[in-house]
Amino acid sequence: ANEQLVAAALRAREISDSALAELDALSRASQFDELTDIPGRTLMLDRIDNAIAQARRRGTRVALLFLDIDGFKAINDTHGHAAGDDALRRVAARLTASVRESDAVGRLGGDEFLVLLSDVAGELEAAMVADKMLAALSEGVAEVETSGSLSASIGIAVYPDDSENAVALIALADACMYRSKRRGGASFTFHSGRIAEVPANTAQRRPVSTLSARWETSAGTAIPSSLPEEAACARAMNARQLEFMALTAY
């Protein structure tokens, strides 16, 4: 009888451990992207909210970078989805290596990534990180049958300068990303109309001429625009903002 009780207790323990392991796996799957093993949409929204709350208490800034890989569809169409998945994993790793441990890199889905820079001095610091990311991608991402390197279009919004709301910041950065995409990609765009100068002697950064050529602002006069383009940009931003609001509410 005692042996049966012990055996039953052991089986119950095994079932309990198995159930806990499955719950842990489900919890991680709901928070982390399965392909790249970086935070997914829900976890990134939570981290952005927390970063904004801390910045509000400390009186600091937070920068959000919305990144979309240039020409990613061509990689899938030409080389297959395995090559595309490999490229996404390598992009995630290179973006993560470009930021501090206190920052975060997440995948929203497809070839879209969000980068959270907490406690930044301002647009200058965000610009240098964005340029570092573009340089890392250009070094070559997928060695298999692809062109050997990738580029990305990046949009940047800053708390509290551009908005004090996480969903609005994401939507603004998303809209700026599309402006970068329309200019041919491999560049980054700020929501604000301010343009700062990058120190020429900044260590481990590209020359000022290179960085300045890639740094534009959504309100800058150097960017030709038209009313239809601005209307399309506004519609895209509003649509994405509603999407993020719905996901947050859910």
Side-chain angles (χ1 to χ4, degrees):
N2 289 336
E3 293 178 355
Q4 292 178 345
L5 288 174
V6 170
L10 289 174
R11 283 196 298 272
R13 177 64 180 272
E14 290 175 358
I15 294 173
S16 176
D17 290 344
S18 177
L20 288 174
E22 290 180 4
L23 286 174
D24 289 341
L26 289 173
S27 176
R28 180 173 180 81
S30 68
Q31 298 184 64
F32 287 85
D33 179 61
E34 183 177 359
L35 177 65
T36 60
D37 200 33
I38 61 176
R41 183 191 301 264
T42 302
L43 182 56
M44 278 301 293
L45 287 172
D46 183 62
R47 291 190 175 181
I48 292 168
D49 283 333
N50 290 336
I52 288 177
Q54 289 185 3
R56 185 178 294 114
R57 290 193 297 269
R58 299 173 180 174
T60 56
R61 286 183 171 87
V62 169
L64 280 184
L65 285 67
F66 198 111
L67 183 148
D68 184 272
I69 302 173
D70 298 327
F72 182 73
K73 184 177 183 298
I75 295 178
N76 277 332
D77 293 345
T78 305
H79 305 288
H81 290 285
D85 289 347
D86 182 65
L88 289 172
R89 284 189 290 265
R90 293 172 182 272
V91 167
R94 292 182 182 230
L95 295 181
T96 302
S98 300
V99 300
R100 305 162 299 183
E101 290 186 2
S102 58
D103 302 322
V105 176
R107 182 183 175 214
L108 295 181
D111 61 338
E112 293 181 337
F113 293 82
L114 259 185
V115 180
L116 167 65
L117 304 180
S118 59
D119 193 15
V120 295
E123 291 178 350
L124 173 59
E125 186 174 350
M128 290 191 293
V129 174
D131 195 65
K132 182 179 179 182
M133 290 178 173
L134 292 176
L137 294 180
S138 69
E139 291 173 359
V141 176
E143 285 81 3
V144 294
E145 297 185 6
T146 66
S147 60
S149 64
L150 289 178
S151 64
S153 301
I154 303 176
I156 307 175
V158 179
Y159 166 90
D161 306 61
D162 301 324
S163 177
E164 297 186 6
N165 177 272
V167 174
L169 282 172
I170 295 172
L172 291 173
D174 185 17
C176 291
M177 179 274 292
Y178 280 109
R179 294 188 68 96
S180 298
K181 187 77 72 177
R182 285 194 292 271
R183 291 202 309 274
S187 61
F188 51 92
T189 302
F190 282 88
H191 171 68
S192 78
R194 296 178 298 277
I195 299 179
E197 295 184 1
V198 179
N201 60 348
T202 302
Q204 298 181 341
R205 292 289 186 268
R206 296 190 166 205
V208 179
S209 58
T210 304
L211 183 57
S212 299
R214 298 214 285 203
W215 187 4
E216 301 288 351
T217 60
S218 62
T221 56
I223 303 175
S225 62
S226 62
L227 289 177
E229 177 183 348
E230 295 301 324
C233 181
R235 286 195 297 270
M237 183 182 73
N238 289 336
R240 295 302 288 262
Q241 183 170 354
L242 289 173
E243 176 187 350
F244 281 114
M245 289 176 68
L247 286 168
T248 304
Y250 177 79

